[in-house]
Amino acid sequence: MAAAGGDGGAGGSGLLADYAEAAVAVYSRMRREWSDCSDCGAALAARTLRDTATFGRRDALIVVVLALAWITARILATSHVFKPLAAKLRLRPQDVAKFPENAWKLVFYLGAWLYSGYLLFMRDYNFFSQPLSAFAGWYVGMEVPSDIHLAYMLQGSFYLHSVYGTLCLDTWRRDSPVMILHHIITLSLIGFSYAFRFHNIGLLVLFLHDTSDFLLEFTKVNVYLRHRGGGSERQRWVHARIADLGCAAFGSSWFVCRLYWFPLKVVHTTAVTVLAIIPGLPFYFLFNSLLIILTGMNVYWFSFIVAFVAKVLTGQMKEVDDLREFDVAERVSTGPEGGAAKQGERRSRAKRGEGKGEAQENGLQSGGGKKQQ
């Protein structure tokens, strides 16, 4: 499939053919590599990690410091920017509690998407159209270009901050454990791809996932603005239409970027075609297993999108709303004063069935990240 996969994609004549060909190729190649690997195991992993990984203390320190900076910036932005803005816009009480989370994520994901898009399409990187070129000239310990290094430090630190954010700051949802797992897998992929100098293909992964992430947060913000008090009927109508368009763009981008381009451009390249130029790719099985798990998570969250669309088409839902039916409990405070204790109490109440009345029934489902993306 030259159009979608470039020199690294599958080569079918249609969508199902592309998927079938890619899936068979990935499975067959990984199975063959496993059969041919006579010393696969902990000893090989330790030796490969020692001989090929390059991740200095300086990089680790940068990620940790930036993660703490993200947490601090989020708390300050929530209390001094987003909450006052929500009050000024006269949002509904239930939206005031959720607006800071989505506004914060919108700012980051939009900035991250614009930057990765700039690198992929405005600089001399052609990884999107030719994914296999991401591995051209690869060697152990190669230097990471400064512009991609910046993207990795920012993204890695943000996802490290997101683990804390999901546990202590965000609204707790039924899929929050999956979201935490997603953040951990994303962190692992960012760390491994950086250490083994797979940063070029990693940049493509980040771009494909950030596309739907910022559209999701943008749509949610407009859902809240649609119900703002004091605004004119025309303003509410405009925000409602923007939310409708954002919802359509979000669902479409999720399918195209995460379920179409990602497996055909990235997974097929890293599992199959790259071995033609780099036999014995370091941590081949772990790296591709994480990518396949990430693909499975994308499918899992897409099922929520399909369920949402089904409700709209069958008339169970009359308009796009902020879907909180997967919320276990609404977090009243996004500041540190809310504390992990209150969050834990709400989770305990939800498990006992006492928090069901707090969950709302309709709206736009919270999707995953890288990313959730």
Side-chain angles (χ1 to χ4, degrees):
M1 188 201 64
D7 57 11
S13 57
L15 179 61
L16 293 179
D18 289 340
Y19 278 134
E21 180 180 347
V24 170
V26 169
Y27 172 77
S28 300
R29 191 54 188 260
M30 291 187 70
R31 183 177 180 180
R32 188 197 323 167
E33 291 296 317
W34 181 260
S35 299
D36 294 342
C37 185
S38 59
D39 60 344
C40 286
L44 176 61
R47 187 168 63 252
T48 304
L49 187 64
R50 182 185 65 249
D51 295 341
T52 60
T54 306
F55 196 96
R57 294 181 179 179
R58 176 176 173 271
D59 293 324
L61 180 61
I62 290 175
V63 169
V64 172
V65 170
L66 285 177
L68 294 175
W70 285 124
I71 294 172
T72 303
R74 175 173 178 174
I75 292 173
L76 292 176
T78 295
S79 58
H80 296 289
V81 179
F82 298 134
K83 279 189 174 181
L85 180 60
K88 184 177 181 179
L89 293 172
R90 298 173 61 183
L91 300 183
R92 297 180 302 180
Q94 62 267 37
D95 294 338
V96 170
K98 297 177 290 188
F99 177 79
E101 173 189 341
N102 301 123
W104 168 258
K105 291 179 180 178
L106 172 60
V107 171
F108 175 80
Y109 288 134
L110 178 58
W113 179 75
L114 289 173
Y115 183 63
S116 58
Y118 164 74
L119 294 181
L120 285 172
F121 301 107
M122 304 297 290
R123 300 296 295 270
D124 296 329
Y125 303 122
N126 58 346
F127 312 140
F128 183 84
S129 59
Q130 298 179 339
L132 189 57
S133 67
F135 292 95
W138 176 90
Y139 60 88
V140 174
M142 64 185 295
E143 182 179 356
V144 180
S146 58
D147 47 9
I148 297 181
H149 178 269
L150 176 61
Y152 259 73
M153 295 299 103
L154 293 175
Q155 291 269 12
S157 60
F158 187 84
Y159 278 101
L160 181 58
H161 129 280
S162 295
V163 175
Y164 171 82
T166 302
L167 286 170
C168 303
L169 301 177
D170 296 349
T171 300
W172 188 259
R173 304 179 178 93
R174 292 183 186 177
D175 68 339
S176 290
V178 180
M179 183 66 73
I180 294 174
L181 178 61
H182 167 271
H183 293 335
I184 294 174
I185 289 177
T186 302
L187 269 173
S188 300
L189 281 169
I190 290 175
F192 277 116
S193 62
Y194 182 84
F196 295 108
R197 297 307 189 248
F198 304 153
H199 48 273
N200 292 337
I201 198 70
L203 178 65
L204 179 57
V205 174
L206 293 173
F207 172 78
L208 292 176
H209 285 73
D210 286 340
T211 303
S212 52
D213 283 337
F214 92 82
L215 286 171
L216 171 65
E217 307 304 336
F218 174 76
T219 302
K220 286 185 175 184
V221 167
N222 277 278
V223 167
Y224 304 152
L225 293 175
R226 186 190 66 196
H227 295 294
R228 59 177 293 195
S232 66
E233 188 64 29
R234 178 175 177 79
Q235 288 176 323
R236 287 190 287 270
W237 182 88
V238 169
H239 286 300
R241 300 292 76 77
I242 293 176
D244 292 339
L245 293 174
C247 181
F250 163 67
S252 301
S253 68
W254 189 286
F255 178 81
V256 172
C257 293
R258 297 192 179 207
L259 301 184
Y260 186 63
W261 279 336
F262 177 64
L264 298 182
K265 283 182 175 291
V266 176
V267 180
H268 185 268
T269 299
T270 59
V272 181
T273 57
V274 69
L275 295 177
I277 59 175
I278 310 178
L281 188 73
F283 274 92
Y284 170 84
F285 295 106
L286 176 61
F287 189 57
N288 282 290
S289 295
L290 291 174
L291 290 174
I292 292 172
I293 292 174
L294 186 58
T295 303
M297 289 183 173
N298 290 336
V299 173
Y300 167 76
W301 276 306
F302 189 69
S303 67
F304 292 153
I305 300 174
V306 173
F308 165 74
V309 172
K311 287 184 178 182
V312 174
L313 295 178
T314 58
Q316 299 179 50
M317 187 181 298
K318 301 301 182 183
E319 59 183 6
V320 174
D321 202 351
D322 179 33
L323 182 59
R324 314 314 289 184
E325 63 181 351
F326 294 99
D327 290 0
V328 174
E330 293 292 337
R331 181 177 177 83
V332 177
S333 171
T334 56
E337 67 275 10
K342 290 185 179 180
Q343 188 79 328
E345 179 182 350
R346 291 191 181 96
R347 294 177 199 170
S348 298
R349 290 177 54 219
K351 290 179 180 179
R352 296 194 302 268
E354 298 173 14
K356 292 182 179 179
E358 300 177 11
Q360 298 181 26
E361 296 181 353
N362 296 318
L364 182 66
Q365 163 62 23
S366 168
K370 288 139 239 71
K371 344 99 215 243
Q372 165 194 207
Q373 81 158 189

